[in-house]
Amino acid sequence: MIKKSYKKIHLVGIGGISMSGIALILKNNGFTVLGSDRSVSKITNDLINNGITVFPKHSKENISNDIDLLIINSAIKDDNEEVICAKNKNIPIISRSVALGEIMSTYKCPICIAGTHGKTTTTTILSEILVNGGLDPTISVGGVLPSIGGNILIGGKNYFLAEACEYSNSFLDFFPKIGAILNVEHDHIDFFKTLDDVLLSFNQFAKNIKSDGVLIINKDINGFNKIIENVSCEIITFGKSNADFTYEITNTNSKGYPNFIIMHGSNKICTASIAMPGDYNVLNALASFVIGNYLNLSSDNIVASINNYNGVERRYQFKGYYNGIPIVDDYAHHPTEIKELLKAVKKGSYNKIYGIFHPHTYTRTKGFLKEFSESFTNCDFIVIKEIYSAREKNIYNISSKDLCDKINLFENKEKAFFFDTDKEILDFIIKNATDKDIILTIGAGESHLLGEELLHYM
């Protein structure tokens, strides 16, 4: 618990996108904040520039006797020497999600965006809507939003907007006034063993919404009725059809960006457009519209925010051109996300789609090997880096080579390639792609770094 009597708070893993936001909010609330991470980064440098002490490694020497509270992110284990030292000194320890939940509980209207996919995009669209609507929100988002200058915006004490991640049930530490569920699929299979486990978790998240609040939920979710079972708050649905709020795409431009109509029942409310391809991004915009509408913001102002939305880093982010070829980065790292991304890009006026994919975690790659192998149909050529380990060790006997073999077997042709070095990957792209094509860097790993390198590649 974050007590008002606490003066000094240390964050282990302070360089994480969410942890850094918590650090800035705590500092703004009058606490002395410091922390540590495994390396120096732009995020840690920004924290230092904001007057927060950051140690560039984890060490028991960082844990002084006057620290009142330790906050740890999900990657920090019990054998971390700072955690061990804090326990020996009887310093209280809480998780990132508990800390964030306690912070947002001090606001009149906490708003949480949940779902297997689309959380960051939806949260940033809604950020624009709330800011432009004059609500002066405090915002914590899992990506860098240029319009607010980062991943955190410190505003007033009425509205707090945050992403709500289901991994390790962390979002069950949140008790929002407004909760949104965008979609639900089986993911994080190192934690959730079945889809029913995921649905049960989202059901508890929905039941955590305050009884005088509202659940905004996609009616098309497989398992919708399980999620809303015994939910006490108001429920408003959105979706493709048979929901309170629906949409109809009228046309797409040469980049595959859609124009669409928003409907409430049979009534046309407004038309809008979004500078990102895909029905899934229309749904993200629609969920944001519904929340803005619930908060009594004008439809014209909401639509203006959606129309002017310029995206967030690593979510269909245009990075530049290589010899006239557009390079776009997308965080898609689940088979469904990849399939929907490529289906959306296929609607653009491109000759061929080249992908550079960096699979994220061994458990996800092995557990969804079949699904991944079937998700690249709309990609003409895909180059795959060795699996990004993240928090895991490779005890699963799985490699990106296995995924390439599965893709080529499913497609009955050679379209997936594995190379040992980044140079070989870039050379392959350079040799084959033309200015009529598009290059996508895909995944939650480090494929985006290859796209950035390609911009300067000679």
Side-chain angles (χ1 to χ4, degrees):
M1 184 174 182
I2 305 176
K3 298 179 181 179
K4 291 183 178 179
S5 60
Y6 289 164
K7 295 180 180 180
K8 194 171 185 179
I9 300 177
H10 181 95
L11 287 78
V12 188
I14 197 170
I17 195 76
S18 178
M19 289 284 277
S20 63
I22 291 173
L24 290 169
I25 293 172
L26 290 172
K27 183 176 186 300
N28 185 70
N29 287 345
F31 295 99
T32 297
V33 180
L34 67 162
S36 62
D37 216 297
R38 291 179 296 179
S39 60
V40 175
S41 67
K42 182 181 183 303
I43 291 177
T44 58
N45 286 335
D46 287 344
L47 292 172
I48 292 169
N49 291 336
N50 278 279
I52 293 174
T53 298
V54 178
F55 301 105
K57 65 177 182 178
H58 301 313
S59 169
K60 63 182 180 181
E61 304 301 325
N62 301 335
I63 309 302
S64 56
N65 292 331
D66 59 345
I67 290 174
D68 297 302
L69 178 68
L70 206 74
I71 301 174
I72 61 174
N73 69 21
S74 58
I76 303 301
K77 307 303 181 185
D78 288 342
D79 61 356
N80 179 279
E81 60 179 289
E82 294 188 4
V83 173
I84 294 171
C85 184
K87 288 180 178 178
N88 290 336
K89 293 176 181 286
N90 293 317
I91 298 171
I93 302 172
I94 62 174
S95 69
R96 175 204 64 86
S97 59
V98 168
L100 185 57
E102 292 199 12
I103 289 169
M104 70 173 66
S105 70
T106 64
Y107 290 74
K108 290 183 178 179
C109 184
I111 305 170
C112 290
I113 308 299
T116 309
H117 323 295
K119 292 184 290 293
T120 300
T121 299
T122 303
T123 303
T124 50
I125 295 172
L126 185 57
S127 296
E128 305 278 15
I129 291 170
L130 300 184
V131 170
N132 295 336
L135 298 188
D136 191 26
T138 293
I139 298 167
S140 175
V141 64
V144 176
L145 179 60
S147 65
I148 65 172
N151 64 304
I152 190 78
L153 176 67
I154 298 176
K157 294 295 292 183
N158 287 329
Y159 298 94
F160 188 102
L161 171 62
E163 292 184 41
C165 180
E166 73 276 14
Y167 182 61
S168 299
N169 285 330
S170 62
F171 66 173
L172 300 188
D173 291 317
F174 306 157
F175 296 85
K177 179 75 176 288
I178 300 173
I181 300 178
L182 307 173
N183 41 64
V184 176
E185 284 196 85
H186 191 198
D187 194 11
H188 303 299
I189 58 180
D190 57 326
F191 182 79
F192 296 113
K193 301 310 178 186
T194 66
L195 175 59
D196 280 341
D197 291 340
V198 184
L199 292 171
L200 180 64
S201 184
F202 275 90
N203 171 248
Q204 186 57 58
F205 169 78
K207 289 194 288 190
N208 281 357
I209 298 171
K210 299 178 187 300
S211 59
D212 62 343
V214 63
L215 169 64
I216 312 291
I217 182 170
N218 186 343
K219 185 71 177 294
D220 299 323
I221 291 173
N222 180 17
F224 171 83
N225 289 328
K226 289 185 178 180
I227 295 173
I228 65 169
E229 186 176 355
N230 297 323
V231 171
S232 61
C233 66
E234 180 185 358
I235 297 174
I236 300 175
T237 61
F238 68 96
K240 181 73 174 178
S241 59
N242 300 318
D244 297 319
F245 289 85
T246 57
Y247 72 93
E248 178 183 338
I249 295 178
T250 55
N251 64 287
T252 57
N253 67 14
S254 62
K255 295 181 178 180
Y257 300 168
N259 298 306
F260 56 97
I261 299 170
I262 295 177
M263 309 282 292
H264 183 222
S266 59
N267 298 320
K268 172 183 172 181
I269 300 177
C270 55
T271 59
S273 61
I274 187 165
M276 303 176 80
D279 285 31
Y280 58 96
N281 279 316
V282 175
L283 280 167
N284 293 336
L286 180 59
S288 303
F289 178 92
V290 175
I291 296 173
N293 182 79
Y294 179 82
L295 292 171
N296 295 315
L297 298 176
S298 79
S299 294
D300 288 344
N301 287 343
I302 299 173
V303 168
S305 296
I306 295 172
N307 291 348
N308 294 325
Y309 176 71
N310 290 317
V312 60
E313 288 188 7
R314 304 226 56 203
R315 274 69 176 178
Y316 208 80
Q317 181 188 9
F318 171 72
K319 303 302 288 281
Y321 291 94
Y322 171 78
N323 282 353
I325 311 168
I327 300 173
V328 174
D329 179 51
D330 197 276
Y331 198 68
H333 57 286
H334 182 281
T336 299
E337 293 172 342
I338 294 168
K339 183 180 290 186
E340 291 300 314
L341 166 67
L342 294 171
K343 184 170 71 174
V345 176
K346 193 73 172 179
K347 294 180 181 178
S349 302
Y350 305 109
N351 184 20
K352 292 180 180 178
I353 300 172
Y354 284 82
I356 302 173
F357 177 50
H358 199 181
H360 189 263
T361 72
Y362 303 111
T363 50
R364 181 182 282 115
T365 307
K366 187 175 182 68
F368 291 135
L369 189 61
K370 177 179 182 294
E371 291 82 357
F372 273 123
S373 71
E374 298 173 1
S375 63
F376 291 94
T377 297
N378 285 313
C379 195
D380 295 282
F381 297 99
I382 182 71
V383 186
I384 305 180
K385 282 174 63 69
E386 190 52 273
I387 297 166
Y388 186 80
S389 61
R391 54 188 173 266
E392 298 179 343
K393 294 181 179 180
N394 190 6
I395 60 173
Y396 305 96
N397 192 30
I398 185 70
S399 165
S400 289
K401 295 177 184 178
D402 301 314
L403 178 54
C404 284
D405 291 342
K406 288 286 188 180
I407 292 171
N408 292 332
L409 182 64
F410 176 76
E411 298 283 351
N412 196 29
K413 59 183 177 182
E414 191 176 27
K415 64 182 284 182
F417 301 88
F418 173 84
F419 297 109
D420 289 316
T421 67
D422 289 351
K423 184 180 186 304
E424 290 175 291
I425 292 174
L426 296 178
D427 286 345
F428 175 87
I429 297 292
I430 290 166
K431 180 180 178 180
N432 293 283
T434 74
D435 60 5
K436 302 295 183 183
D437 304 328
I438 185 172
I439 299 168
L440 301 176
T441 55
I442 306 168
E446 296 178 341
S447 58
H448 64 293
L449 299 179
L450 284 175
E452 292 166 7
E453 187 175 344
L454 192 57
L455 292 174
H456 310 288
Y457 205 70
M458 301 299 292

